[in-house]
């Protein structure tokens, strides 16, 4: 009986702890995004400042991996100053989910036109070696990928997730093989191009002819306020769920759960 109780308690502690950890990370990410949205104006005492404006590209970004050859989108105008990408594989566990296999971010020589100031973005500060999934990195707030395309074509699966093939648009036929599926890997990416609005936060330092954002640089595009609210909501749900699992586990181990 004691062994069973310890097993229940251990499982609840593990599951609840993982849920609480995920909720804490979502909360920290929401806090970072909120600061990025709220900050602005003059630099703080530490030299930190948020800038916002259109991107100017002096040298385009060169991503380590581009979309597959069968993806032929209508390319928008403007050179890419930042190119964030990842490759995902579908996993068939208790619930289907996509796992990131590889990813990264390429940054060219870029600046942001913040009112009358032209502020450079330090590429090395933004391009961290630890970035495996730029769409979930703590300092990058890019929203949903603009490009979402299967890496290879297979029978039963459309080549382009975002394509339009009449009545069979976005149809998938997938078979499980253990934890793997027959769904091909997919490539996702977002390119921030010349003239697009970018918001960046970091330490302002004199960088030769013009100031530059360096240090722990955070950048975001799109409706950041809405995304912050969504992250806070997700953090609350996971935090509450983790707490409930822990309480139920302790109660079950103590023999106080009434079925």
């Amino acid at each position: 009986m004691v062994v069973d109780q310890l097993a229940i308690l251990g499982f609840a502690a593990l599951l609840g702890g993982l849920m609480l950890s995920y909720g804490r990370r979502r909360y920290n990410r929401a806090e970072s995004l909120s600061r990025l949205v709220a900050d602005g104006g003059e630099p703080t005492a530490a030299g930190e400042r948020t800038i916002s404006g259109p991107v100017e590209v002096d040298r385009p970004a060169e991503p380590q991996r581009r979309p597959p050859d069968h993806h032929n989108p209508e390319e928008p105008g403007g050179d890419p100053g930042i190119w964030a990408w990842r490759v995902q594989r579908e996993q068939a566990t208790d619930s289907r989910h996509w796992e990131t296999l590889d990813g990264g971010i390429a940054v060219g020589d870029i600046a942001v036109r913040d009112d009358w100031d032209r502020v450079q973005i330090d590429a090395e500060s933004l391009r961290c070696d630890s970035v495996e999934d730029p769409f979930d990195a703590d300092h990058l707030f890019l929203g949903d990928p603009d490009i979402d395309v299967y890496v290879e074509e297979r029978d039963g699966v459309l080549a382009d997730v975002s394509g339009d093939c009449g009545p069979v648009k976005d149809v998938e036929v997938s078979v499980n093989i253990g934890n793997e599926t027959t769904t091909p890997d997919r490539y996702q990416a977002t390119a921030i191009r010349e003239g697009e609005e970018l918001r960046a936060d970091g330490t302002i330092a004199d960088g030769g002819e013009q100031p530059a954002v360096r240090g722990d640089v955070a950048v975001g595009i799109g409706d950041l306020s809405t995304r912050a609210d969504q992250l806070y909501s997700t953090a609350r749900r996971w935090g509450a769920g983790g707490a409930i699992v822990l309480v139920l586990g302790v109660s079950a181990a103590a023999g106080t759960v009434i079925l």
Side-chain angles (χ1 to χ4, degrees):
M1 179 65 71
V2 174
V3 174
D4 292 340
Q5 290 175 324
L6 290 176
I8 293 173
L9 184 60
F11 177 78
L14 176 62
L15 180 59
L18 289 174
M19 295 176 70
L20 288 172
S21 177
Y22 183 82
R24 167 57 64 179
R25 186 181 175 193
R26 295 296 93 183
Y27 179 81
N28 290 340
R29 186 165 163 78
E31 288 284 279
S32 298
L33 182 52
S34 295
R35 288 193 296 270
L36 180 61
V37 174
D39 291 344
E42 296 298 322
T44 64
E48 296 180 354
R49 177 185 163 196
T50 297
I51 60 173
S52 178
V55 172
E56 297 182 354
V57 180
D58 297 325
R59 181 180 60 83
E62 298 180 359
Q64 184 180 8
R65 185 166 180 175
R66 290 184 175 273
D69 293 337
H70 63 258
H71 178 61
N72 297 308
E74 294 182 3
E75 290 290 345
D79 291 325
I82 298 175
W83 189 295
W85 63 277
R86 69 183 177 188
V87 175
Q88 292 193 312
R89 176 169 296 168
E90 188 179 36
Q91 301 294 317
T93 53
D94 294 337
S95 60
R96 290 181 180 274
H97 70 280
W98 290 83
E99 181 181 78
T100 299
L101 302 178
D102 194 13
I105 180 169
V107 186
D109 292 336
I110 63 174
V112 171
R113 180 65 67 177
D114 183 47
D115 291 331
W116 296 104
D117 296 328
R118 188 178 190 273
V119 184
Q120 288 183 316
I121 304 295
D122 181 58
E124 292 302 322
S125 298
L126 191 59
R127 186 175 53 237
C128 298
D129 294 335
S130 59
V131 175
E132 297 180 356
D133 187 340
F135 296 95
D136 195 41
D138 291 338
H139 66 298
L140 301 173
F141 304 95
L142 306 175
D144 295 326
D146 294 332
I147 300 173
D148 190 351
V149 57
Y150 289 118
V151 172
E152 59 184 357
E153 298 183 58
R154 295 186 185 175
D155 292 340
V157 183
L158 297 181
D160 193 333
V161 180
S162 59
D164 189 350
C165 298
V168 293
K169 177 181 178 182
D170 298 343
V171 172
E172 294 182 12
V173 178
S174 180
V175 178
N176 295 354
I177 305 175
N179 287 338
E180 303 294 334
T181 73
T182 58
T183 304
D185 299 343
R186 65 184 186 185
Y187 176 94
Q188 296 183 320
T190 287
I192 303 174
R193 299 179 180 275
E194 174 92 30
E196 295 184 2
E197 292 289 320
L198 177 71
R199 194 170 182 86
D201 179 80
T203 302
I204 302 295
D206 290 332
E209 297 181 357
Q210 57 190 6
V213 178
R214 305 181 188 277
D216 296 328
V217 180
V219 300
I221 57 174
D223 188 353
L224 301 180
S225 297
T226 299
R227 244 176 282 161
D229 293 338
Q230 293 171 343
L231 283 170
Y232 277 124
S233 178
T234 300
R236 287 192 292 268
R237 288 198 305 270
W238 281 87
I244 291 173
V245 168
L246 287 175
V247 170
L248 290 177
V250 171
S251 299
T256 59
V257 175
I258 302 176
L259 301 178

